[in-house]
Amino acid sequence: MEEKARMKKGICLTALYPQAMENAELLLELFQKVKEKRFDCVEFYFHGKPEEELRIGKKLKELQMASVFLAGFPMKRDKVDLSAGCDEIRKKGVADCLKLYESAVRMQADKMLILSGPAWEMQDGKSRDGILWQMRNSLLEMESWLGQDGPQITLEFFNDKGEPWLAVGDIVMVQALFQTMPETRIGITFDTSHAVQLGWDVLPAFKALKPWIRHLHLANSVSRDKWHPLYGDKHPLFSIKGGDFSLAKIRKFYRTLAQSGDLAQVDICSFEVISRGEEDLYFAKTCEEAAYVWKKGSLGGFGIEKT
């Protein structure tokens, strides 16, 4: 059984063109570029004036493109902590997220992606149970913002035992968190590279969190070779040597989920690759890799070695 046609397929634009985060004109041009490559979703972060945000929302509607507002970018940068043991810090984190949510509304985003905050091992006074309790409190407060037509909030989990050292966290912890909120409208963003960095096989990890997954990132990482220049949460292309996923492996993962019906509740699936200079080249290669994974085709057609 194939995934439902309603799933939008996108690209994480900010990871490829970080200079567009504060340049509305460039961002609008890039939306058109993404549309021409036949993606129907774009994921991005933008910081600017409210009138620029309104223009961005208007453009996305004109292009009939779904979008994910990547609030995780400034949250990670500013160490916004939704799981802080200190309630004053936690509530400030929620207030910061509300400002980001207001921006997401102005840009008519379909989703706003958030993250938890610094890992408990790196802070005094944090414990696993404390993280779960405080994170639950934050999510419940944030859920009160969700209107009928506003962006869905989606929580992306990260490695809590290595880079980038965020509190939520291991697959079992994420599962425990959402089991305490059975009726929640907040979803999970499942990033393939984060599951592997946490030491999980990607299919069992997906199935453990499947009831809450609404958003999927297909992303690569290097977690086996600590001396590799791309070791950690750096999202290289799937065609590099030494990655956790080859292009053939990520395609098999995606096709397995699609054919089993496990993507029925996932409404956006995007490729996430971080450029390292040569943004246009990385964009072109990401488009090629996405085309191979999402369409029937030959690896040879993209000049990629089958591994």
Side-chain angles (χ1 to χ4, degrees):
M1 181 173 125
E2 294 289 332
E3 80 275 18
K4 293 182 180 179
R6 68 184 178 87
M7 176 191 282
K8 304 292 186 181
K9 294 174 180 176
I11 190 168
C12 293
L13 195 57
T14 299
L16 290 164
Y17 292 94
Q19 63 269 39
M21 286 191 284
E22 296 186 354
N23 187 331
E25 295 302 325
L26 175 59
L27 188 61
L28 294 174
E29 291 174 12
L30 291 171
F31 287 166
Q32 187 67 48
K33 184 174 181 175
V34 170
K35 181 69 173 181
E36 289 169 0
K37 290 294 185 179
R38 299 186 179 179
F39 292 98
D40 52 10
C41 177
V42 63
E43 303 198 17
F44 69 97
Y45 170 66
F46 176 76
H47 174 71
K49 299 175 182 178
E51 53 267 32
E52 291 176 314
E53 294 173 343
L54 292 170
R55 284 181 61 208
I56 287 168
K58 182 179 178 181
K59 183 65 172 180
L60 287 168
K61 292 307 173 185
E62 287 176 358
L63 294 172
Q64 297 183 315
M65 294 182 71
S67 64
V68 179
F69 181 59
L70 299 175
F73 271 89
M75 292 180 70
K76 188 187 297 185
R77 179 195 66 206
D78 299 338
K79 295 183 171 57
V80 172
D81 195 349
L82 298 178
S83 62
C86 171
D87 221 39
E88 183 178 353
I89 294 173
R90 183 191 69 78
K91 286 182 177 293
K92 182 183 183 302
V94 173
D96 289 342
C97 285
L98 178 56
K99 293 177 183 177
L100 291 166
Y101 191 78
E102 289 168 347
S103 290
V105 169
R106 283 191 290 270
M107 290 183 281
Q108 301 187 56
D110 294 274
K111 296 181 187 292
M112 185 176 90
L113 183 150
I114 63 169
L115 45 78
S116 59
W120 66 267
E121 287 94 342
M122 299 180 70
Q123 294 191 22
D124 293 336
K126 272 199 171 184
S127 67
R128 184 180 184 279
D129 289 344
I131 288 170
L132 290 174
W133 177 254
Q134 292 293 74
M135 194 68 205
R136 178 180 183 273
N137 287 339
S138 293
L139 293 179
L140 290 176
E141 290 173 23
M142 295 168 75
E143 191 163 17
S144 68
W145 311 337
L146 302 182
Q148 192 68 27
D149 300 320
Q152 182 195 42
I153 291 174
T154 179
L155 173 67
E156 186 171 21
F157 62 90
F158 286 80
N159 192 352
D160 61 341
K161 301 295 191 296
E163 183 193 5
W165 300 98
L166 296 184
V168 180
D170 183 68
I171 304 298
V172 174
M173 174 185 280
V174 180
Q175 185 183 55
L177 172 64
F178 277 80
Q179 283 174 339
T180 68
M181 304 183 298
E183 304 300 325
T184 185
R185 291 179 291 160
I186 293 175
I188 290 174
T189 294
F190 186 94
D191 184 302
T192 53
S193 70
H194 297 169
V196 172
Q197 289 169 54
L198 287 162
W200 279 69
D201 290 334
V202 68
L203 274 173
F206 187 95
K207 290 183 181 295
L209 301 178
K210 176 186 168 183
W212 308 281
I213 296 171
R214 304 291 181 269
H215 181 214
L216 176 61
H217 276 175
L218 300 179
N220 201 6
S221 56
V222 177
S223 64
R224 297 185 295 267
D225 180 2
K226 292 186 177 181
W227 303 108
H228 196 289
L230 294 175
Y231 177 76
D233 192 41
K234 294 183 173 64
H235 295 315
L237 291 159
F238 288 101
S239 49
I240 69 156
K241 291 185 178 180
D244 292 319
F245 296 93
S246 65
L247 192 52
K249 184 176 179 180
I250 198 66
R251 186 190 194 201
K252 182 178 179 181
F253 166 72
Y254 176 79
R255 298 306 297 174
T256 297
L257 292 180
Q259 291 166 3
S260 66
D262 286 331
L263 296 179
Q265 296 186 94
V266 177
D267 48 21
I268 292 176
C269 174
S270 293
F271 262 67
E272 184 175 15
V273 171
I274 296 176
S275 65
R276 288 160 180 86
E278 301 183 288
E279 290 89 353
D280 290 340
L281 176 61
Y282 272 89
F283 177 80
K285 287 184 175 292
T286 301
C287 292
E288 286 184 354
E289 292 190 352
Y292 170 70
V293 170
W294 286 330
K295 299 175 184 177
K296 294 181 180 179
S298 160
L299 279 169
F302 297 108
I304 297 166
E305 180 183 359
K306 188 171 183 178
T307 57

